[in-house]
Amino acid sequence: MRSAGRVGAAGAGLVAGAVLQLQQAALWAPTVYLAAMAGGLIGLLALLRPGSGGHPAGSRAGWPAATAAMATALAAAALLFGSAGWRAGQRLAPTLPAAVEGQDLLIEGRVAELPRRSGGGWSFVFEVHRAWHGGAPVVLPPRITLGWYPDDADDGLAAGLSGTMAVPRGGEVWRLTARLRQPRGLMNPHGFDVERAWFERGVRAVGTVRLSRAESPRRLAMASSWSMLAWRQAVKDRIEAQVRDARAAGVLAALSLGDQNAIDDGDWTVFRQTGVAHLVAISGLHVTMFAWLAQGLVGALWRRSPRAMLRLPAPTAARVGGVLLAALYSLFAGWGLPAQRTVGMLAVAAALAVSGVRWPWPVVWAASALVIVVADPWALLSPGFWLSFVAVGLLMASGSGERRQDADAGSDRVTTAAAWPQRLGHLLREGLRTQVIATVGLAPLSLVFFQQISLVGLLANLIAIPLVSFVITPLALLGALAPPLWTAGAFCVQQLTALLGVMAGWPWAALQVAAAPVWTVASGLLGGALLVLPAPWRWRLLGLPMLLPLLAPPLDRPAPGGFDVVAADVGQGTAVLVRTARHLLVYDSGPQYGRGGSGGDAGARVLLPLLRGRGEAAIDRLVLSHRDTDHVGGAATLMQAMPVRALLASLEPGHPLRRQAGPADDCTAGASWTWDGVRFDVLHPFADQPAPVSAAPNTRSCVIRVSAGGHSLLLTGDIERRQEAALVHRWGDALRSEVLLVPHHGSQTSSSGELLAAVRPRVALIQAGYRNRYGHPHADVLQRHAAAGIPVVSSVDCGAWSWRAGEEPACERERRRRYWHAPQQRADRQP
């Protein structure tokens, strides 16, 4: 018992060490981590050695059990803390030299993954072999991500790049010219941490291929015919050639090759709304399902050979064969992180099963997860890991694991034809029970990670799971041998997506909630576990009230007479949220990303997750300062995704956004309104200014001042010096504001000394993109602010800037900083 307690303490210590290391904002010196590893390993060997009695070698008496367990946990924590920290340092060591950032580089290397479509082009991971800058060799990170956009090519080169074969294929070796930058992403509350994703994939620079006659890319070698990546690329090409429906082809490629990027964005939205997104990605569920099917097939074949069973029992052969075939399937599907983790967990579970000891399910469950945490501590940050881990645990705890073991044991017996109906009915009942347990038990985790659960998910999964698992996925895989099967699979995909589209359109198809504080998360997770565990119903029903705080978490709102401000990190563009006690104003909607919006827009990628995480059900007033796409790029998405009760805009009559919104008010100086004791004043444009059809849109930017309780904010759009002078002349000291949104992202055409003297802000905010092509913010603008003694905060450094009037502001990049995030770069040092 003492030994078991120390082993359990060691497991808990390993997890604690990983969790502690993942909280570090910056890495320590490598020697510190190596010392922690050595100390932890020596301590564990001494404490866990047979016959140690729970005390180090050489001591005269054993320690009390609690002391021994604590010492074991501390040693294990030190071991994994040091191991994770040292590995993180090794992963972060390759960096892009500052001298070549943004410069043209000649790079030779290999396409390391399947290229994915990105609007009008492609993006892919590139393994760098050699690189040159100005003819001189330069050392680059070994893995980078590149974008390839033929639309940007010179006219003469564009024709040659229009064909499919001119696009880089997986496994090919190319020499090309590219411009690289640090892997720096957007940083917003409730937003996706793309820098962590790059870190986990080993990507240490991102960039764009330069396509011109002078810099024409050149393929140096085709992919090796024995390369797994080349086989995957060939299968994807054949799917696209066989299936004319690109959306259905994308789903088939995702199911067979793990190419989730091939799925259309519209289909992803439907899958998430109906709770079946986990079915169309090569996740733990797919790999586990494949392992179970492979295990059954290997066991059935093995039992046909008496000689084979004499050498190795059929159950053992089935388990080992299932894991090996699941590993091969995962390799063909791209060997992604979810697949790697699942294969590892399956291998541990199989090893324990064939050890000759009937282990309790908690031991198998915990040991499988622990091996993954030791091998990949960053798995603890992945929602997919927790969803898979908890789902398996719930099914084991509820008795499904024992039923499955009994079924496996019974499979050695001959099943008569008369027993098949009874067996089929049992499987159907067990499948329904499993789905109910997974849906109910994982609902709290879905709310925690995604602030959303699908209310039609149970029904949708009852239809989709058998169809995807037993029809579409086998057709997607077998199509590699018989391509007409892909046509049949595409037909099934089309019917399924049509049905799911109808379900997604039902009222209340999904429940959206705000991000929950820690105490509501703990209560909700415990409540969900109680509901599905095999306990008396009087105990299970206690889980219902424990779920309520997670379903309706408390919302943090300013008191009447106060307001909150969030200047979102949208890159090169503007988007600001102003929140009063009962109303929400959104000033501009950020840019479109990629070529012609091919990479989405700030509405979908930034503002909707931000608004939903804050529990916003509607936008009371959307203000569009002028028509430039870096200010209105996300507006259409916002108006489509959530109610917008009023639109105030400086847009010309007939603009598409006016038509989409319905009746809209023109932004004209002199208008004002009050919400919850907070005053909003429109200061520009003036009524006598030319309409935007005959004037540059910047000159008619909508300027709004927000004020309450001695605190104020001035939102300026893209006004330039002449408009600034007119504002000062018209309003004078009324411009005085505590916070200034710097006009035109810090352009040299704006931020005159006259405006700064009139506003006299305590802080100036600049929303601009990292290394943007306009050079914002300009050095002269930063110098003028410095001369006036005005601190400048840039979204490049800060990420999203949050402020509750009367309190200290906060930068999201500082609040969430971890060691994998890009280093700070001051606004006044940005090129």
Side-chain angles (χ1 to χ4, degrees):
M1 292 299 293
R2 277 194 168 195
S3 176
R6 294 198 303 276
V7 171
L14 290 170
V15 174
V19 170
L20 184 62
Q21 198 280 326
L22 293 175
Q23 307 309 309
Q24 287 193 286
L27 292 177
W28 296 339
T31 52
V32 176
Y33 295 117
L34 291 173
M37 289 172 59
L41 181 59
I42 292 172
L44 278 181
L45 291 176
L47 290 163
L48 295 179
R49 69 182 181 87
S52 68
H55 56 88
S59 61
R60 295 179 179 273
W63 288 349
T67 304
M70 179 63 71
T72 303
L74 289 174
L79 174 62
L80 196 52
F81 179 89
S83 172
W86 185 83
R87 283 181 283 169
Q90 296 301 302
R91 193 175 293 187
L92 290 173
T95 57
L96 179 67
V100 301
E101 188 172 15
Q103 304 296 312
D104 284 349
L105 303 172
L106 183 62
I107 308 174
E108 186 178 299
R110 171 180 170 269
V111 180
E113 296 181 3
L114 292 180
R116 61 172 183 168
R117 287 193 178 273
S118 179
W122 290 263
S123 65
F124 51 90
V125 174
F126 200 60
E127 288 182 354
V128 177
H129 296 165
R130 295 184 294 173
W132 299 265
H133 177 230
V138 61
V139 178
L140 298 181
R143 283 174 68 88
I144 61 178
T145 294
L146 293 176
W148 173 288
Y149 301 101
D151 289 346
D152 289 348
D154 292 349
D155 292 340
L157 183 62
L161 295 174
S162 60
T164 302
M165 294 308 295
V167 178
R169 329 293 288 171
E172 293 178 345
V173 178
W174 282 74
R175 177 179 291 172
L176 43 80
T177 301
R179 288 184 179 177
L180 303 180
R181 61 179 179 85
Q182 291 183 26
R184 180 185 292 265
L186 307 178
M187 188 69 68
N188 291 282
H190 317 297
F192 177 64
D193 189 352
V194 67
E195 293 179 29
R196 177 173 63 83
W198 283 327
F199 165 78
E200 290 184 334
R201 297 172 64 194
V203 172
R204 300 300 301 136
V206 297
T208 305
V209 177
R210 303 280 289 170
L211 302 176
S212 67
R213 293 181 182 180
E215 304 163 338
S216 176
R218 186 156 58 96
R219 182 190 288 114
L220 300 182
M222 303 293 290
S224 169
S225 58
W226 295 101
S227 165
M228 179 67 75
L229 183 57
W231 292 352
R232 297 178 66 233
Q233 181 70 70
V235 170
K236 184 178 181 181
D237 293 341
R238 291 169 61 197
I239 291 176
E240 293 177 347
Q242 178 72 27
V243 179
R244 294 183 178 181
D245 184 347
R247 297 177 68 168
V251 175
L252 294 177
L255 291 172
S256 58
L257 302 172
D259 187 12
Q260 300 179 36
N261 298 304
I263 298 179
D264 182 80
D265 289 341
D267 288 338
W268 268 125
T269 300
V270 171
F271 296 152
R272 292 189 183 103
Q273 286 284 101
T274 53
V276 302
H278 62 97
L279 292 176
V280 291
I282 300 299
S283 60
L285 175 66
H286 280 88
V287 177
T288 302
M289 177 203 73
F290 187 91
W292 284 345
L293 293 176
Q295 177 178 326
L297 178 61
V298 171
L301 294 175
W302 203 266
R303 283 188 290 272
R304 291 179 175 272
S305 171
R307 182 178 301 177
M309 287 193 292
L310 288 175
R311 294 187 175 182
L312 189 67
T316 300
R319 291 187 175 97
V320 174
V323 172
L324 291 177
L325 290 175
L328 288 175
Y329 171 58
S330 299
L331 282 171
F332 187 73
W335 198 237
L337 287 175
Q340 294 177 34
R341 295 162 183 161
T342 304
V343 170
M345 295 179 73
L346 289 171
V348 173
L352 292 175
V354 302
S355 66
V357 179
R358 190 178 178 88
W359 298 94
W361 72 262
V363 173
V364 178
W365 181 56
S368 300
L370 189 60
V371 168
I372 302 305
V373 173
V374 172
D376 180 16
W378 302 278
L380 293 172
L381 301 172
S382 169
F385 168 79
W386 287 106
L387 289 169
S388 300
F389 177 61
V390 173
V392 173
L394 288 173
L395 294 175
M396 286 182 166
S398 64
S400 295
E402 294 178 4
R403 289 181 175 84
R404 189 174 295 111
Q405 287 180 2
D406 294 341
D408 289 343
S411 64
D412 289 335
R413 298 187 294 270
V414 177
T415 304
T416 64
W420 273 111
Q422 181 180 0
R423 182 178 177 85
L424 180 60
H426 170 76
L427 290 175
L428 291 175
R429 289 192 301 272
E430 191 67 16
L432 176 61
R433 177 179 176 277
T434 297
Q435 183 57 41
V436 171
I437 290 172
T439 300
V440 175
L442 294 181
L445 272 181
S446 297
L447 288 172
V448 170
F449 289 127
F450 311 117
Q451 290 83 55
Q452 175 181 304
I453 55 171
S454 174
L455 300 182
V456 299
L458 179 59
L459 176 60
N461 276 280
L462 287 176
I463 299 170
I465 285 179
L467 187 59
V468 172
S469 301
F470 302 112
V471 179
I472 297 176
T473 299
L475 289 174
L477 293 172
L478 294 174
L481 302 177
L485 294 178
W486 283 327
T487 304
F491 174 79
C492 296
V493 169
Q494 291 166 342
Q495 305 312 306
L496 177 62
T497 53
L499 177 60
L500 293 177
V502 172
M503 298 175 69
W506 290 348
W508 301 97
L511 173 65
Q512 194 80 39
V513 300
V518 175
W519 71 269
T520 61
V521 170
S523 173
L525 294 180
L526 183 57
L530 279 175
L531 284 173
V532 298
L533 289 179
W537 274 106
R538 63 178 180 274
W539 293 108
R540 291 194 190 191
L541 292 178
L542 290 176
L544 289 176
M546 299 178 70
L547 280 173
L548 292 179
L550 196 57
L551 293 172
L555 301 179
D556 184 22
R557 297 288 186 256
F563 62 93
D564 290 346
V565 178
V566 179
D569 183 9
V570 294
Q572 185 63 25
T574 295
V576 180
L577 277 57
V578 181
R579 209 337 148 170
T580 67
R582 293 184 296 274
H583 295 85
L584 171 68
L585 178 140
V586 176
Y587 181 86
D588 282 340
S589 58
Q592 291 181 335
Y593 302 117
R595 275 61 180 171
S598 60
D601 57 66
R605 288 175 53 179
V606 176
L607 295 180
L608 283 178
L610 175 59
L611 292 169
R612 289 168 175 167
R614 290 168 56 87
E616 304 290 359
I619 299 172
D620 293 286
R621 180 159 289 162
L622 174 61
V623 179
L624 300 178
S625 65
H626 60 295
R627 69 171 184 244
D628 285 355
T629 55
D630 59 335
H631 292 253
V632 302
T637 298
L638 285 182
M639 289 190 284
Q640 183 178 2
M642 64 192 311
V644 175
R645 296 182 176 131
L647 175 65
L648 179 66
S650 186
L651 301 173
E652 65 271 19
H655 192 283
L657 292 174
R658 281 185 179 271
R659 292 196 298 268
Q660 181 177 351
D665 296 324
D666 290 328
C667 193
T668 306
S672 66
W673 69 93
T674 300
W675 283 342
D676 312 315
V678 181
R679 183 176 175 86
F680 296 78
D681 292 291
V682 180
L683 307 182
H684 189 269
F686 306 129
D688 56 354
Q689 279 188 249
V693 174
S694 59
N698 289 355
T699 65
R700 288 189 56 83
S701 290
C702 190
V703 176
I704 295 179
R705 185 175 184 268
V706 184
S707 58
H711 303 286
S712 52
L713 163 73
L714 187 64
L715 303 169
T716 59
D718 279 357
I719 58 172
E720 299 179 357
R721 285 196 184 95
R722 291 184 61 183
Q723 292 76 51
E724 293 174 357
L727 276 174
V728 173
H729 177 74
R730 173 74 67 91
W731 301 106
D733 289 340
L735 292 174
R736 178 79 170 91
S737 299
E738 191 172 358
V739 178
L740 169 67
L741 182 65
V742 174
H744 203 178
H745 320 288
S747 169
Q748 191 178 18
T749 62
S750 306
S751 298
S752 63
E754 186 180 11
L755 177 70
L756 298 183
V759 179
R760 289 172 287 167
R762 288 181 53 195
V763 62
L765 302 178
I766 297 178
Q767 289 184 300
Y770 178 64
R771 298 192 67 88
N772 62 84
R773 58 179 176 171
Y774 308 103
H776 297 159
H778 196 275
D780 291 346
V781 172
L782 296 173
Q783 186 175 0
R784 283 197 291 271
H785 283 82
I790 302 171
V792 174
V793 175
S794 169
S795 58
V796 171
D797 258 355
C798 180
W801 184 86
S802 303
W803 176 55
R804 172 161 290 178
E807 299 181 7
E808 288 297 314
C811 285
E812 188 67 13
R813 189 167 284 278
E814 288 303 313
R815 190 184 69 83
R816 292 174 57 187
R817 179 165 293 282
R818 296 294 184 268
Y819 54 80
W820 54 79
H821 291 145
Q824 188 177 36
Q825 174 167 331
R826 293 177 54 85
D828 55 3
R829 294 180 185 171
Q830 183 178 343

